[in-house]
Amino acid sequence: MTGAKRKKKSVLWSKMHMPHCEDFKQWCRRRLPILEWATHYNLKENLLPDTVSGIMLAVQQVTQGLAFAVLSSVHPVFGLYGSLFPAIIYAIFGMGRHVATGTFALTSLISANAVERLVPLNSQNLTTQSNTSVLGLSDFEMQRIGVAAAVSFLGGVIQVAMFVLQLGSATFLLTEPVISAMTTGAATHVVTSQVKYLLGMKMPYISGPLGFFYIYAYVFENIKSVRLEALLLSLLSIVVLVLVKELNEQFKRKIKIVLPIDLVLIIAASFTCYCTNMENTYGLEVVGHIPKGIPPPRAPPMNILSAVITEAFGVALVGYVASLALAQGSAKKFKYSVDDNQELLAHGLSNVIPSFFFCIPSAAAMGRTAVLYSTGAKTQVACLISCIFILIVIYAIGPLLYWLPMCVLASIIVVGLKGMLIQFRDLKKYWNVDKIDWGIWVSTYIFTICFAANVGLLFGVVCTIVIVIGRFPRAKTLSIKNMKEMEFKVKTEMDDETLQQVKIISINNPLVFLNVKKFHTDLMNIIQKENANNQPLDEISKCEQNTLLNSLSNGICNEEATQPCLNQKCSLILDCSGLTFYDYSGVSMLVEVYTDCKNKSVDVSLVHCTASLIKAMKYWGNLDSEKPIFFESVSAAITNIHLNKNLSKLSDHSEI
């Protein structure tokens, strides 16, 4: 009996502990995505494109690191550290394969507010001028990077706290018009902050509400102090950068390696400035001494955390929103998924850990993502390879950048923001799709340039919620069928044994940013289940399958439709008679559903669509012009499906 009891106890013990071990492995794979993709990395196919992408990315990381460090009001060398450590951390914890974390214009601009407020430039004469033991930099420079590191640390802690609270799911409140307007407005702020370098002017730091307008007022009042040499060099640099990058974009399919014009311009400008002694002859401001090496880690000053909490929240929200938009865009482009909460953890740790290595706040940047796109990067190995070249710059090449003119660096920043600035073109798109979203974009942009990026983001979210709440009560359900899903079996005239399944789904409520993700997920699940099922469905499974978005439609399960789909190619009819209103996200999702279904060999037809919905969908996406997809009634759509089936059968027989 004792042996049996011991055996039974050991079995129970193993049952209790085995699942925990498996759960731990799954948890590690979920929280450390590098364990998932690194084990399946194909050296033969991926290493070469990742290496090329890593080299090109390193060039952009170095230039942006120097530029955004200056934008953050700290010594340029700290921008190199900010391009190194966050990229390593994100490669371990992040899910975006084409997301390169590093210094970012918007977060640098936000942290500069704290740096200039707590360690203003006029306090430089009051601080000890002796060099510290850290890289030989002055106490003034170390105090400034201490403030920026504190902002990075606290911003990362906020992001990790949001991850713990699972607030990543709340990102549905961040609609595309709000993100586009906020990033465009913030990019406008960054360009404005570089005006003093582009013109070679000495200008005091100006921030706060309406600071955007005060800067330009100061420029016009002191227009005589503009240095013509700096202005001409800035214009020449911008023209060269734009021209070469456009040529790279035009011929990227014909040439495998694009010209790294940023690197070429830096080398040429530094060499020219050194040979002609522009710093002393023309009074051009240069980057100055960049020390070698990486100092030992040091904790950020914790005693100033309460003083930088406003900037920390701005860094946490703005950095995460901009980075998540890039991660989701790359995931959509290359057909993989991104966990919103995991991205919070990745970016939070990418701010917390590097803050101990004198790094400024970090986030993903559109320019770096575009480089990874254009050079054919496959995985995060490209970012890790770029870190090797950044280390080479830190330990060997950095001091050679002493003679780099600040006006050239400012030109690189301005041209690098081109992707954000051209989002002004989205205004036409929003006007044609949904004029309310157009109004949200304009108002969010105005609030952003008048106040700050975090204020504009908050206004856009609140404005969107208020408008949706105001529109929902006025929604009227026009559908009188009170159904959610029906199935028809259409027999073809050519072959009675071949059946084609037609699924009709009625949308009886508005389709807006609040429910588009759930709508898409449930709809795709239904289609995948139908295509995978080759056996008859019983009553229970059939009704389980009919759980489409409750907030979109109400209906009953059709008990007669229990036969399998014998043909691989099915048809889907979306009845939009109850779609009382929609926003830009709703139109975008309908086009995405059409595209996804088309890729899965599922024909999609839309019936009872309003003229404005048809116009918006045609304007938004490239719909199939050969086949009609909009019909006046369900019967007309079914007749068209029946006719297409007969034509395909006739074509097959004629070929035989």
Side-chain angles (χ1 to χ4, degrees), residues 533-538 541 562-564:
N533 271 342
N534 289 323
Q535 295 180 355
L537 301 172
D538 57 16
S541 64
T562 60
Q563 297 181 5

Side-chain angles (χ1 to χ4, degrees), residues 256-311:
K256 295 183 178 179
I257 301 177
V258 297
L259 178 65
I261 185 58
D262 293 354
L263 178 62
V264 173
L265 182 62
I266 286 176
I267 295 173
S270 300
F271 182 74
T272 304
C273 185
Y274 170 75
C275 293
T276 58
N277 195 17
M278 288 185 180
E279 182 184 14
N280 298 321
T281 305
Y282 302 107
L284 286 183
E285 188 177 356
V286 296
V287 170
H289 174 64
I290 297 181
K292 290 183 180 180
I294 299 176
R298 178 190 295 180
M302 301 297 172
N303 58 327
I304 64 171
L305 293 182
S306 59
V308 299
I309 190 168
T310 303
E311 288 80 10

Side-chain angles (χ1 to χ4, degrees), residues 92-371:
I92 298 172
F93 294 95
M95 298 185 71
R97 300 174 193 170
H98 299 81
V99 173
T101 302
T103 55
F104 184 44
L106 308 190
T107 55
S108 296
L109 194 64
I110 294 172
S111 67
N113 292 332
V115 172
E116 294 288 349
R117 189 180 73 251
L118 298 178
V119 190
L121 192 61
N122 55 20
S123 68
Q124 186 173 6
N125 298 328
L126 303 177
T127 57
T128 306
Q129 293 299 311
S130 61
N131 292 338
T132 64
S133 59
V134 181
L135 301 174
L137 296 175
S138 66
D139 291 332
F140 175 75
E141 293 290 357
M142 296 311 300
Q143 289 177 13
R144 286 201 148 197
I145 187 56
V147 174
V151 173
S152 177
F153 174 81
L154 187 56
V157 169
I158 293 171
Q159 288 174 329
V160 173
M162 293 169 67
F163 160 75
V164 173
L165 297 174
Q166 299 290 292
L167 294 182
S169 57
T171 54
F172 69 90
L173 294 172
L174 304 171
T175 61
E176 185 177 330
V178 172
I179 296 174
S180 174
M182 183 272 293
T183 52
T184 307
T188 308
H189 270 295
V190 175
V191 171
T192 302
S193 69
Q194 297 304 298
V195 168
K196 62 179 180 180
Y197 297 116
L198 295 172
L199 302 179
M201 295 178 62
K202 296 291 183 182
M203 183 188 302
Y205 183 79
I206 301 174
S207 64
L210 304 180
F212 173 86
F213 303 100
Y214 292 139
I215 290 175
Y216 286 106
Y218 182 91
V219 169
F220 286 113
E221 288 175 1
N222 299 272
I223 196 69
K224 294 182 180 180
S225 63
V226 173
R227 290 189 178 274
L228 185 60
E229 298 83 3
L231 176 60
L232 292 176
L233 187 56
S234 299
L235 291 175
L236 178 62
S237 300
I238 291 174
V239 170
V240 170
L241 286 168
V242 172
L243 183 62
V244 175
K245 288 190 175 185
E246 285 296 324
L247 291 175
N248 283 338
E249 187 68 23
Q250 290 291 330
F251 297 102
K252 64 180 180 181
R253 295 183 180 179
K254 297 182 180 180
I255 54 177
K256 295 183 178 179
I257 301 177
V258 297
L259 178 65
I261 185 58
D262 293 354
L263 178 62
V264 173
L265 182 62
I266 286 176
I267 295 173
S270 300
F271 182 74
T272 304
C273 185
Y274 170 75
C275 293
T276 58
N277 195 17
M278 288 185 180
E279 182 184 14
N280 298 321
T281 305
Y282 302 107
L284 286 183
E285 188 177 356
V286 296
V287 170
H289 174 64
I290 297 181
K292 290 183 180 180
I294 299 176
R298 178 190 295 180
M302 301 297 172
N303 58 327
I304 64 171
L305 293 182
S306 59
V308 299
I309 190 168
T310 303
E311 288 80 10
F313 267 104
V315 164
L317 295 177
V318 174
Y320 172 67
V321 168
S323 302
L324 182 64
L326 292 174
Q328 290 177 338
S330 65
K332 184 177 179 180
K333 183 180 180 69
F334 295 98
K335 307 298 181 185
Y336 63 90
S337 60
V338 169
D339 183 359
D340 297 350
N341 283 304
Q342 180 63 26
E343 288 298 291
L344 270 174
L345 176 64
H347 289 289
L349 295 178
S350 296
N351 276 312
V352 172
I353 297 175
S355 67
F356 290 83
F357 294 89
F358 306 97
C359 292
I360 60 179
S362 64
M366 185 181 293
R368 295 194 292 267
T369 299
V371 167

Side-chain angles (χ1 to χ4, degrees), residues 363-426:
M366 185 181 293
R368 295 194 292 267
T369 299
V371 167
L372 293 176
Y373 284 170
S374 61
T375 53
K378 303 296 182 182
T379 64
Q380 278 290 328
V381 170
C383 296
L384 295 176
I385 291 174
S386 72
C387 293
I388 298 174
F389 290 94
I390 294 172
L391 277 173
I392 295 174
V393 173
I394 291 174
Y395 279 95
I397 305 176
L400 300 178
L401 299 174
Y402 177 96
W403 297 97
L404 176 62
M406 290 299 300
C407 60
V408 174
L409 204 55
S411 302
I412 294 174
I413 293 178
V414 172
V415 176
L417 294 170
K418 175 190 170 186
M420 292 184 182
L421 294 173
I422 62 175
Q423 291 179 134
F424 278 109
R425 296 185 301 188
D426 293 344

